[in-house]
Amino acid sequence: MMIDMFTGMLGRFGSHFETASNAVALVFMLSPAVQIREVYRSKGNALMSVSPFNLISMYANCAMWLIYGLLYPVPPAVPCNSIGLIACCAYLSICWFYAVRKHEVHGWHLWCADGSWSLSAAAGTAAALLFSGACYVYAAGSPAQAEHVGYLAMAVNVVMYGAPLSAVGRVIADKSSATLPPVQCALGFLCSFLWLCVGLNNRNVPTVIPNALGVPLAALQLLLIAWFPRIATKMPDVAKPETEKLASASADPTSTAKDKDSNAGAELKQRRGRASSPAPRDGSKTQEKS
C-alpha cells in the first residue's frame, strides 16, 4: 500500500507534529472570531462578508468528531472539538442575532439578495442542529455505531475545508475575495498539511483521506485570495419601508411641533392679510344713482 512508504517518516519528531497539529486545529476553530468581531463592531453591517455555510459546516464537523470521540471513545478528539463546538455555537448565535434584526427592518427578500443569511441558511442551521442530535442518539447505541459516526465525520471534515469555496461564484463575479476569510483559509491549509503528515506517519487512513483532500482545497482558496483583491462588501442600499418612515416621524416630537408651528403661522398671516386689505369703494354705485 502506498501509505506504507511514509510510515515512520517523521521519526522522533512524530510526537511534536501531533502536538502542533492539535494546536493549529484549535486555532483554526477559533479563526472565524476575526470576522465575528467585525460583525459585532459594525452592528451587523459586515455580516455579508461571513458565509453561513462556512460556520454551519464547521459546527457539524466539531459535533461529529466530538460525538465520535466521546462514544467510541477517542479521548484526544474531545478537547479541541469541545472548544470548537462552543465557539461555533457562539458564532452562529451572534450572526443570527444581527441577521434577524436586519430582516425585521428590510424584509427577508430585500436584504442579503445573494442568498446568504436568508431562509435557506436558517433551514441549514436548523438541519445541522437536528442532525447532530440524531447522530448522538445513534452513536450512543454501541461503539460500532459510534464508529459509523466517525466515518461520517471524515466526510464532514472534507466539506468544512472546502466550505469557503461555496462563495467562489460570488468571488469570480465580483472579482473580490472579501468573502474568503484569509486567516481561516491559511490555518486550514496548515492544519490539513500537519494532520496529513501525522496520518501518513501513523498509517491512519481515516486521518489521511480527509486531509489529503483538504490540502488542495485550502490551496485553491489561498490562490483565489492572492489573485483577486480583497474589497469590502457593502450593504445593499435598501429604501426604508413606509411603516418605518411613519414610525420615525411619529417618534420625533420636535418635527411634529415645528410642523404645527408653521401651519399656525401661515393661518395667522392669512387672517392679518384679510384684515388689512381695504374695503371696496362704493363710487360706482353713487355714479349710477346720479
Side-chain angles (χ1 to χ4, degrees), residues 22 69 73-81 195:
N22 281 291
V74 183
V78 174
C80 179
N81 289 288
W195 278 111

Side-chain angles (χ1 to χ4, degrees), residues 236-259:
D237 188 11
V238 182
K240 291 184 178 181
E242 291 296 329
T243 55
E244 186 182 355
K245 292 180 180 179
L246 294 174
S248 60
S250 61
D252 191 359
T254 57
S255 61
T256 55
K258 290 179 181 179
D259 294 339

Side-chain angles (χ1 to χ4, degrees), residues 27-68:
V27 177
F28 172 74
M29 299 299 178
L30 300 177
S31 61
V34 177
Q35 287 183 301
I36 304 303
R37 180 172 175 267
E38 292 299 322
V39 172
Y40 176 77
R41 293 181 61 184
S42 65
K43 296 182 179 179
N45 291 331
L47 191 58
M48 291 186 68
S49 298
V50 182
S51 171
F53 182 68
N54 189 15
L55 297 182
I56 293 171
S57 62
M58 183 175 289
Y59 164 84
N61 176 77
C62 292
M64 296 297 101
W65 282 112
L66 180 60
I67 292 170
Y68 174 69

Side-chain angles (χ1 to χ4, degrees), residues 278-290:
R281 297 180 179 180
D282 296 336
S284 59
K285 293 183 180 180
T286 56
Q287 290 178 0
E288 291 178 357
K289 289 181 180 181
S290 62

Side-chain angles (χ1 to χ4, degrees), residues 35 48-51 54 164-165 167-185 220-234:
Q35 287 183 301
M48 291 186 68
S49 298
V50 182
S51 171
N54 189 15
L165 291 177
V168 66
R170 183 176 171 186
V171 170
I172 296 176
D174 298 342
K175 295 182 179 180
S176 168
S177 60
T179 54
L180 292 176
V183 177
Q184 183 178 344
C185 293
L220 178 58
Q221 296 165 23
L222 294 175
L223 180 62
L224 290 173
I225 292 174
W227 185 264
F228 293 105
R230 185 168 180 81
I231 303 174
T233 306
K234 295 182 179 180

Side-chain angles (χ1 to χ4, degrees), residues 28-29 56-72 74 77-78 81 131-132 135-136 138-139 144-162 192 204-214:
F28 172 74
M29 299 299 178
I56 293 171
S57 62
M58 183 175 289
Y59 164 84
N61 176 77
C62 292
M64 296 297 101
W65 282 112
L66 180 60
I67 292 170
Y68 174 69
L70 288 172
L71 301 177
Y72 186 65
V74 183
V78 174
N81 289 288
F131 184 70
S132 60
C135 287
Y136 180 83
Y138 176 78
Q145 293 176 347
E147 188 177 9
H148 296 162
V149 175
Y151 293 140
L152 182 61
M154 291 171 51
V156 176
N157 197 1
V158 176
V159 173
M160 180 192 67
Y161 284 135
S192 296
N204 189 299
V205 176
T207 304
V208 171
I209 293 176
N211 290 288
L213 296 174

